Amino acid sequence: FGSISSHSPFATGGGESRTGRGSRTVKSQIFTKTGRSHLPLPCSITNQIRLSVTSSFSTSPTSIIMSATTAPQLNTAATKQPTLQQSNIARVQALVAEFQAGRPEGYLAGVHENIHGSVLGGLIPGGDDYRGKAAFQELMGSMDQYMEVSKFEPKNWRAVNDDVLFNVDWAFVWIPTGKLIETTALVRKVVRDGMICEKYHCICDVEAITGQPSPHDATPVERVQELLAEYGAGRPEGYLAGVSDDFSGSVLQGWVPDEMARFNSKEDFGKLMGEMEQYMEVTKFEPCNFVAMPNNDMMFNVNWCFTYKSTGKVVETTAVVRKVLDKDNNLCEKYHMVDADCVLEESPRDVVAAAH
Protein backbone atom coordinates (compact mmCIF):
# COMPACT_ATOMS: atom_id res chain seq x y z
CA PHE A 1 0.00 0.00 0.00
CA GLY A 2 0.90 3.59 -0.11
CA SER A 3 2.58 4.86 2.98
CA ILE A 4 0.44 6.27 5.73
CA SER A 5 -0.46 9.91 5.39
CA SER A 6 -3.44 12.17 5.68
CA HIS A 7 -4.24 11.14 2.11
CA SER A 8 -3.16 7.53 1.91
CA PRO A 9 -4.83 4.83 3.96
CA PHE A 10 -2.39 2.03 4.12
CA ALA A 11 1.09 0.85 4.61
CA THR A 12 0.26 -2.80 4.95
CA GLY A 13 -2.63 -5.14 4.67
CA GLY A 14 -5.97 -4.78 6.37
CA GLY A 15 -9.48 -6.03 6.02
CA GLU A 16 -13.14 -5.67 5.77
CA SER A 17 -15.25 -7.28 8.39
CA ARG A 18 -18.78 -8.05 7.71
CA THR A 19 -21.34 -10.26 9.26
CA GLY A 20 -24.54 -11.69 7.91
CA ARG A 21 -26.13 -11.71 4.49
CA GLY A 22 -26.29 -8.37 2.79
CA SER A 23 -23.41 -7.21 4.95
CA ARG A 24 -25.60 -6.48 7.90
CA THR A 25 -23.77 -6.22 11.17
CA VAL A 26 -24.07 -9.27 13.42
CA LYS A 27 -23.26 -8.84 17.09
CA SER A 28 -20.46 -10.90 18.58
CA GLN A 29 -21.53 -14.06 20.32
CA ILE A 30 -20.16 -14.26 23.86
CA PHE A 31 -19.69 -17.63 25.48
CA THR A 32 -18.54 -17.10 29.05
CA LYS A 33 -18.98 -18.83 32.34
CA THR A 34 -18.59 -15.60 34.26
CA GLY A 35 -20.92 -13.47 32.18
CA ARG A 36 -18.28 -10.75 31.98
CA SER A 37 -17.85 -9.04 28.65
CA HIS A 38 -14.60 -7.19 29.33
CA LEU A 39 -11.96 -7.32 26.62
CA PRO A 40 -8.84 -9.31 27.49
CA LEU A 41 -5.57 -7.57 28.07
CA PRO A 42 -3.22 -8.02 25.12
CA CYS A 43 -0.38 -10.45 25.64
CA SER A 44 2.05 -8.83 23.23
CA ILE A 45 3.68 -5.55 24.16
CA THR A 46 2.65 -2.65 21.98
CA ASN A 47 5.20 0.04 21.33
CA GLN A 48 3.77 3.32 20.10
CA ILE A 49 5.90 5.38 17.77
CA ARG A 50 5.27 8.64 16.02
CA LEU A 51 6.04 8.60 12.33
CA SER A 52 6.28 11.47 9.89
CA VAL A 53 5.83 9.89 6.50
CA THR A 54 4.88 10.91 3.00
CA SER A 55 2.34 9.14 0.88
CA SER A 56 3.79 7.40 -2.13
CA PHE A 57 1.04 9.05 -4.11
CA SER A 58 1.08 12.43 -2.39
CA THR A 59 3.69 15.04 -1.49
CA SER A 60 2.11 16.16 1.79
CA PRO A 61 3.67 14.55 4.88
CA THR A 62 1.73 14.06 8.06
CA SER A 63 2.49 12.84 11.56
CA ILE A 64 0.33 10.12 13.03
CA ILE A 65 0.52 7.58 15.81
CA MET A 66 1.35 4.06 14.66
CA SER A 67 1.68 0.87 16.70
CA ALA A 68 4.09 -1.95 16.03
CA THR A 69 3.56 -5.20 17.88
CA THR A 70 6.15 -7.86 18.33
CA ALA A 71 5.54 -11.03 16.34
CA PRO A 72 4.72 -14.15 18.33
CA GLN A 73 7.73 -16.41 18.68
CA LEU A 74 7.44 -20.12 19.25
CA ASN A 75 9.70 -21.75 21.79
CA THR A 76 12.73 -22.54 19.63
CA ALA A 77 15.27 -23.44 22.29
CA ALA A 78 16.04 -26.63 20.40
CA THR A 79 16.87 -24.92 17.12
CA LYS A 80 18.67 -21.77 16.08
CA GLN A 81 16.93 -21.48 12.76
CA PRO A 82 13.61 -19.61 12.54
CA THR A 83 10.62 -21.55 11.31
CA LEU A 84 9.06 -20.76 7.95
CA GLN A 85 6.21 -19.07 9.77
CA GLN A 86 8.54 -16.86 11.83
CA SER A 87 10.42 -15.92 8.66
CA ASN A 88 7.19 -15.08 6.84
CA ILE A 89 6.00 -12.83 9.68
CA ALA A 90 9.37 -11.07 9.72
CA ARG A 91 9.23 -10.62 5.94
CA VAL A 92 5.76 -9.05 5.99
CA GLN A 93 6.70 -6.78 8.89
CA ALA A 94 9.83 -5.66 7.03
CA LEU A 95 7.78 -4.80 3.93
CA VAL A 96 5.27 -2.89 6.06
CA ALA A 97 8.17 -0.94 7.54
CA GLU A 98 9.27 0.08 4.04
CA PHE A 99 5.92 1.72 3.38
CA GLN A 100 5.76 3.27 6.80
CA ALA A 101 9.14 4.85 6.07
CA GLY A 102 7.79 6.37 2.85
CA ARG A 103 9.45 3.87 0.51
CA PRO A 104 6.61 2.25 -1.47
CA GLU A 105 9.12 0.83 -3.93
CA GLY A 106 10.55 -1.21 -1.05
CA TYR A 107 7.15 -2.75 -0.36
CA LEU A 108 6.46 -3.40 -4.04
CA ALA A 109 9.80 -5.20 -4.34
CA GLY A 110 8.25 -7.89 -2.16
CA VAL A 111 5.04 -8.18 -4.19
CA HIS A 112 4.71 -10.95 -6.77
CA GLU A 113 3.84 -9.95 -10.33
CA ASN A 114 0.74 -12.17 -10.18
CA ILE A 115 -0.52 -11.01 -6.78
CA HIS A 116 -4.29 -11.18 -6.35
CA GLY A 117 -6.92 -10.90 -3.67
CA SER A 118 -9.23 -8.35 -2.07
CA VAL A 119 -8.23 -5.07 -0.41
CA LEU A 120 -10.92 -2.89 1.16
CA GLY A 121 -13.57 -4.49 -1.02
CA GLY A 122 -16.72 -2.39 -0.97
CA LEU A 123 -14.79 0.74 -0.01
CA ILE A 124 -12.36 1.24 -2.89
CA PRO A 125 -13.65 0.52 -6.43
CA GLY A 126 -12.08 -2.66 -7.79
CA GLY A 127 -10.69 -3.62 -4.39
CA ASP A 128 -12.81 -6.73 -4.01
CA ASP A 129 -11.05 -8.58 -6.85
CA TYR A 130 -7.74 -7.24 -8.11
CA ARG A 131 -5.27 -9.25 -10.19
CA GLY A 132 -1.65 -8.43 -10.92
CA LYS A 133 0.95 -6.12 -9.44
CA ALA A 134 -0.01 -3.22 -11.70
CA ALA A 135 -3.66 -3.45 -10.62
CA PHE A 136 -2.60 -3.63 -6.98
CA GLN A 137 -0.43 -0.54 -7.34
CA GLU A 138 -3.24 1.35 -9.09
CA LEU A 139 -5.65 0.38 -6.31
CA MET A 140 -3.29 1.69 -3.67
CA GLY A 141 -2.87 4.90 -5.59
CA SER A 142 -6.59 5.63 -5.53
CA MET A 143 -7.11 5.17 -1.80
CA ASP A 144 -6.46 8.78 -0.80
CA GLN A 145 -9.54 9.75 -2.81
CA TYR A 146 -11.71 7.91 -0.27
CA MET A 147 -9.88 7.77 3.06
CA GLU A 148 -7.94 10.17 5.25
CA VAL A 149 -6.11 7.92 7.72
CA SER A 150 -5.06 8.89 11.23
CA LYS A 151 -4.38 5.43 12.69
CA PHE A 152 -3.17 2.14 11.25
CA GLU A 153 -2.03 -0.32 13.91
CA PRO A 154 -1.09 -3.91 12.93
CA LYS A 155 -1.29 -6.42 15.79
CA ASN A 156 -1.98 -10.08 16.67
CA TRP A 157 0.59 -11.46 14.22
CA ARG A 158 0.06 -15.16 13.50
CA ALA A 159 1.28 -17.55 10.81
CA VAL A 160 0.41 -21.03 9.58
CA ASN A 161 1.64 -22.83 6.45
CA ASP A 162 2.31 -20.02 3.91
CA ASP A 163 -0.18 -17.62 5.50
CA VAL A 164 0.53 -14.56 7.64
CA LEU A 165 -2.62 -13.45 9.45
CA PHE A 166 -3.12 -10.38 11.63
CA ASN A 167 -5.42 -7.54 12.65
CA VAL A 168 -5.20 -3.86 11.84
CA ASP A 169 -6.91 -1.22 13.99
CA TRP A 170 -7.94 1.71 11.81
CA ALA A 171 -9.11 5.28 12.28
CA PHE A 172 -9.91 7.28 9.15
CA VAL A 173 -12.24 9.90 7.78
CA TRP A 174 -14.48 8.40 5.09
CA ILE A 175 -14.26 11.26 2.60
CA PRO A 176 -17.62 10.67 0.83
CA THR A 177 -19.46 11.41 4.10
CA GLY A 178 -16.84 13.17 6.22
CA LYS A 179 -17.52 10.67 9.01
CA LEU A 180 -14.73 9.48 11.33
CA ILE A 181 -14.52 5.68 11.26
CA GLU A 182 -12.84 3.58 13.93
CA THR A 183 -12.80 -0.10 13.10
CA THR A 184 -10.78 -3.29 12.85
CA ALA A 185 -9.61 -5.26 9.82
CA LEU A 186 -8.52 -8.84 9.39
CA VAL A 187 -5.68 -9.52 7.01
CA ARG A 188 -4.38 -12.61 5.25
CA LYS A 189 -1.17 -12.52 3.20
CA VAL A 190 0.15 -15.58 1.42
CA VAL A 191 3.95 -15.55 1.22
CA ARG A 192 5.96 -17.87 -1.01
CA ASP A 193 9.72 -17.59 -1.45
CA GLY A 194 9.65 -14.25 0.34
CA MET A 195 7.08 -12.70 -2.03
CA ILE A 196 3.48 -11.72 -1.25
CA CYS A 197 1.39 -13.72 -3.72
CA GLU A 198 -2.07 -13.10 -2.27
CA LYS A 199 -3.39 -10.34 -0.06
CA TYR A 200 -6.81 -9.99 1.57
CA HIS A 201 -7.48 -6.94 3.75
CA CYS A 202 -11.10 -6.84 4.93
CA ILE A 203 -12.58 -4.19 7.19
CA CYS A 204 -15.50 -4.84 9.53
CA ASP A 205 -18.90 -3.28 8.90
CA VAL A 206 -18.53 -2.10 5.30
CA GLU A 207 -22.25 -1.44 5.04
CA ALA A 208 -22.16 0.76 8.15
CA ILE A 209 -19.49 2.88 6.44
CA THR A 210 -20.81 3.10 2.87
CA GLY A 211 -24.50 2.23 3.15
CA GLN A 212 -23.96 -0.54 0.59
CA PRO A 213 -23.57 -4.31 1.12
CA SER A 214 -20.14 -5.86 1.04
CA PRO A 215 -19.31 -7.42 -2.34
CA HIS A 216 -18.32 -10.73 -0.72
CA ASP A 217 -20.77 -13.57 -0.17
CA ALA A 218 -22.00 -13.62 3.43
CA THR A 219 -22.67 -17.38 3.46
CA PRO A 220 -19.36 -18.44 5.08
CA VAL A 221 -19.86 -15.98 7.94
CA GLU A 222 -23.48 -17.03 8.48
CA ARG A 223 -22.61 -20.74 8.44
CA VAL A 224 -19.72 -20.34 10.88
CA GLN A 225 -21.91 -18.32 13.24
CA GLU A 226 -24.57 -21.06 13.14
CA LEU A 227 -21.99 -23.69 14.09
CA LEU A 228 -20.46 -21.53 16.80
CA ALA A 229 -23.92 -21.12 18.31
CA GLU A 230 -24.15 -24.92 18.57
CA TYR A 231 -20.77 -25.08 20.26
CA GLY A 232 -21.61 -22.21 22.60
CA ALA A 233 -24.85 -23.91 23.62
CA GLY A 234 -22.93 -27.01 24.73
CA ARG A 235 -23.82 -29.10 21.69
CA PRO A 236 -20.48 -30.12 20.12
CA GLU A 237 -22.30 -32.70 18.01
CA GLY A 238 -24.17 -29.83 16.34
CA TYR A 239 -20.85 -28.21 15.43
CA LEU A 240 -19.42 -31.48 14.13
CA ALA A 241 -22.47 -31.96 11.92
CA GLY A 242 -21.19 -29.02 9.87
CA VAL A 243 -17.68 -30.41 9.44
CA SER A 244 -16.54 -32.31 6.32
CA ASP A 245 -15.04 -35.79 6.63
CA ASP A 246 -11.71 -34.54 5.23
CA PHE A 247 -11.57 -31.57 7.62
CA SER A 248 -7.99 -30.31 8.05
CA GLY A 249 -6.06 -27.56 9.78
CA SER A 250 -4.60 -26.73 13.17
CA VAL A 251 -5.92 -25.47 16.48
CA LEU A 252 -3.85 -23.86 19.27
CA GLN A 253 -0.63 -25.14 17.78
CA GLY A 254 2.54 -24.34 19.71
CA TRP A 255 1.27 -25.06 23.21
CA VAL A 256 -0.68 -28.27 22.81
CA PRO A 257 1.08 -31.34 21.33
CA ASP A 258 1.53 -31.09 17.56
CA GLU A 259 0.00 -34.50 16.97
CA MET A 260 -3.13 -33.18 18.64
CA ALA A 261 -3.13 -29.61 17.29
CA ARG A 262 -2.84 -30.70 13.64
CA PHE A 263 -5.72 -32.70 12.18
CA ASN A 264 -6.55 -34.17 8.77
CA SER A 265 -10.01 -35.61 9.29
CA LYS A 266 -13.28 -35.04 11.08
CA GLU A 267 -12.42 -37.94 13.39
CA ASP A 268 -9.11 -36.34 14.40
CA PHE A 269 -10.81 -33.02 15.04
CA GLY A 270 -13.47 -34.69 17.18
CA LYS A 271 -10.73 -36.21 19.35
CA LEU A 272 -9.09 -32.80 19.67
CA MET A 273 -12.34 -31.24 20.89
CA GLY A 274 -12.72 -34.00 23.46
CA GLU A 275 -9.19 -33.58 24.82
CA MET A 276 -8.99 -29.80 25.07
CA GLU A 277 -10.18 -29.77 28.68
CA GLN A 278 -6.99 -31.60 29.65
CA TYR A 279 -5.05 -28.45 28.81
CA MET A 280 -7.34 -25.51 29.55
CA GLU A 281 -10.24 -24.45 31.74
CA VAL A 282 -12.16 -21.84 29.76
CA THR A 283 -14.01 -18.92 31.38
CA LYS A 284 -14.51 -16.81 28.26
CA PHE A 285 -14.78 -17.58 24.55
CA GLU A 286 -15.95 -14.50 22.64
CA PRO A 287 -16.03 -14.61 18.82
CA CYS A 288 -16.04 -11.16 17.18
CA ASN A 289 -14.96 -9.15 14.12
CA PHE A 290 -16.42 -11.52 11.51
CA VAL A 291 -15.39 -10.81 7.91
CA ALA A 292 -16.24 -12.59 4.66
CA MET A 293 -13.55 -13.09 2.04
CA PRO A 294 -13.41 -14.52 -1.48
CA ASN A 295 -13.14 -18.26 -2.17
CA ASN A 296 -15.69 -19.45 0.44
CA ASP A 297 -13.33 -18.05 3.06
CA MET A 298 -13.84 -16.06 6.24
CA MET A 299 -11.92 -14.80 9.27
CA PHE A 300 -12.67 -13.58 12.77
CA ASN A 301 -11.19 -13.08 16.23
CA VAL A 302 -11.86 -14.88 19.49
CA ASN A 303 -11.25 -13.19 22.83
CA TRP A 304 -10.22 -15.91 25.27
CA CYS A 305 -9.80 -16.22 29.01
CA PHE A 306 -8.65 -19.60 30.31
CA THR A 307 -6.43 -21.29 32.87
CA TYR A 308 -3.54 -23.24 31.37
CA LYS A 309 -3.66 -26.36 33.53
CA SER A 310 0.02 -27.29 33.16
CA THR A 311 1.08 -24.16 35.05
CA GLY A 312 -2.09 -22.75 36.55
CA LYS A 313 -1.52 -19.54 34.61
CA VAL A 314 -4.58 -17.46 33.75
CA VAL A 315 -4.33 -16.37 30.12
CA GLU A 316 -6.24 -13.52 28.48
CA THR A 317 -5.53 -13.28 24.78
CA THR A 318 -7.03 -12.87 21.30
CA ALA A 319 -6.96 -15.59 18.67
CA VAL A 320 -6.97 -15.09 14.91
CA VAL A 321 -9.18 -17.64 13.13
CA ARG A 322 -9.62 -18.55 9.47
CA LYS A 323 -12.22 -21.05 8.22
CA VAL A 324 -13.04 -22.31 4.72
CA LEU A 325 -16.27 -23.90 3.49
CA ASP A 326 -16.59 -26.58 0.81
CA LYS A 327 -19.21 -26.77 -1.94
CA ASP A 328 -21.65 -28.46 0.48
CA ASN A 329 -21.43 -25.56 2.94
CA ASN A 330 -19.43 -27.62 5.44
CA LEU A 331 -16.19 -26.58 7.11
CA CYS A 332 -13.25 -28.12 5.26
CA GLU A 333 -10.38 -26.07 6.77
CA LYS A 334 -9.87 -24.39 10.14
CA TYR A 335 -6.91 -22.51 11.62
CA HIS A 336 -7.31 -21.17 15.16
CA MET A 337 -4.15 -19.44 16.33
CA VAL A 338 -3.21 -18.09 19.75
CA ASP A 339 0.17 -16.57 20.63
CA ALA A 340 1.94 -19.60 22.14
CA ASP A 341 4.41 -17.43 24.07
CA CYS A 342 1.48 -15.77 25.81
CA VAL A 343 0.53 -19.17 27.20
CA LEU A 344 3.96 -20.68 27.83
CA GLU A 345 6.04 -17.78 29.14
CA GLU A 346 6.17 -17.14 32.85
CA SER A 347 4.79 -13.85 34.09
CA PRO A 348 7.18 -11.57 36.04
CA ARG A 349 5.15 -12.26 39.19
CA ASP A 350 5.63 -16.01 38.74
CA VAL A 351 9.38 -15.57 38.30
CA VAL A 352 9.66 -13.48 41.47
CA ALA A 353 7.60 -15.99 43.42
CA ALA A 354 9.81 -18.86 42.23
CA ALA A 355 12.94 -16.96 43.35
CA HIS A 356 11.61 -16.90 46.92
Side-chain angles (χ1 to χ4, degrees):
F1 297 64
S3 53
I4 303 296
S5 82
S6 59
H7 303 291
S8 178
F10 298 13
T12 57
E16 150 201 278
S17 157
R18 102 176 191 284
T19 58
R21 189 170 302 279
S23 288
R24 66 182 185 277
T25 301
V26 177
K27 295 181 179 179
S28 305
Q29 298 163 306
I30 301 177
F31 311 138
T32 168
K33 294 182 180 178
T34 64
R36 295 175 296 166
S37 60
H38 65 279
L39 291 177
L41 297 175
C43 293
S44 57
I45 298 173
T46 301
N47 303 308
Q48 284 204 330
I49 56 176
R50 182 175 292 275
L51 298 178
S52 179
V53 297
T54 303
S55 167
S56 56
F57 307 101
S58 170
T59 58
S60 56
T62 188
S63 179
I64 65 172
I65 295 293
M66 299 284 297
S67 274
T69 57
T70 55
Q73 300 294 317
L74 296 178
N75 186 349
T76 56
T79 177
K80 295 180 180 179
Q81 295 297 320
T83 65
L84 172 64
Q85 288 70 39
Q86 290 170 333
S87 296
N88 284 345
I89 288 176
R91 175 60 167 161
V92 171
Q93 290 177 323
L95 294 175
V96 169
E98 287 294 303
F99 260 100
Q100 291 176 346
R103 296 187 294 267
E105 69 281 0
Y107 185 94
L108 289 170
V111 171
H112 196 278
E113 290 294 333
N114 296 321
I115 187 173
H116 62 275
S118 174
V119 172
L120 302 185
L123 298 179
I124 310 300
D128 59 304
D129 183 18
Y130 68 89
R131 297 184 178 275
K133 189 172 183 176
F136 174 75
Q137 190 169 0
E138 182 179 354
L139 176 65
M140 296 305 96
S142 68
M143 289 178 56
D144 59 6
Q145 301 174 33
Y146 301 92
M147 309 167 73
E148 184 176 313
V149 179
S150 56
K151 182 173 74 172
F152 181 94
E153 297 180 356
K155 66 179 185 181
N156 296 332
W157 296 90
R158 308 284 186 262
V160 61
N161 301 328
D162 293 330
D163 288 3
V164 175
L165 311 178
F166 56 102
N167 284 99
V168 174
D169 287 340
W170 285 81
F172 59 87
V173 173
W174 179 240
I175 293 175
T177 63
K179 183 179 179 180
L180 175 63
I181 305 297
E182 294 182 294
T183 189
T184 295
L186 284 107
V187 186
R188 175 185 175 221
K189 297 188 180 185
V190 181
V191 180
R192 300 188 184 97
D193 299 322
M195 304 293 287
I196 299 174
C197 301
E198 300 177 44
K199 177 175 179 175
Y200 306 90
H201 189 127
C202 298
I203 280 182
C204 298
D205 302 331
V206 168
E207 188 169 9
I209 297 170
T210 67
Q212 299 296 321
S214 167
H216 299 308
D217 183 9
T219 301
V221 167
E222 294 173 340
R223 180 58 167 158
V224 167
Q225 288 176 328
E226 290 172 1
L227 298 178
L228 285 173
E230 290 294 305
Y231 178 79
R235 296 188 294 268
E237 67 280 3
Y239 186 99
L240 287 171
V243 169
S244 67
D245 289 337
D246 59 351
F247 195 37
S248 65
S250 66
V251 171
L252 308 182
Q253 190 171 356
W255 60 277
V256 298
D258 270 2
E259 62 272 16
M260 175 177 154
R262 291 179 175 271
F263 54 90
N264 291 293
S265 69
K266 181 176 183 174
E267 182 181 3
D268 289 345
F269 179 72
K271 291 179 182 177
L272 167 63
M273 291 182 72
E275 295 176 2
M276 287 304 303
E277 63 181 15
Q278 299 178 28
Y279 298 89
M280 61 198 302
E281 182 178 342
V282 179
T283 54
K284 183 171 70 172
F285 180 90
E286 178 188 308
C288 58
N289 300 330
F290 293 88
V291 300
M293 293 182 170
N295 310 315
N296 258 6
D297 210 331
M298 60 85 66
M299 288 179 64
F300 61 103
N301 291 120
V302 174
N303 292 326
W304 283 89
C305 183
F306 60 88
T307 299
Y308 181 43
K309 290 186 175 180
S310 294
T311 62
K313 180 179 179 180
V314 176
V315 177
E316 292 185 274
T317 188
T318 297
V320 179
V321 186
R322 174 177 172 245
K323 297 186 180 184
V324 184
L325 269 61
D326 63 15
K327 60 181 177 59
D328 297 318
N329 211 28
N330 290 321
L331 295 180
C332 59
E333 295 181 54
K334 172 179 177 175
Y335 306 93
H336 191 126
M337 291 164 283
V338 168
D339 182 357
D341 282 354
C342 181
V343 179
L344 299 175
E345 287 182 350
E346 293 180 311
S347 69
R349 181 169 56 185
D350 294 336
V351 173
V352 170
H356 291 82

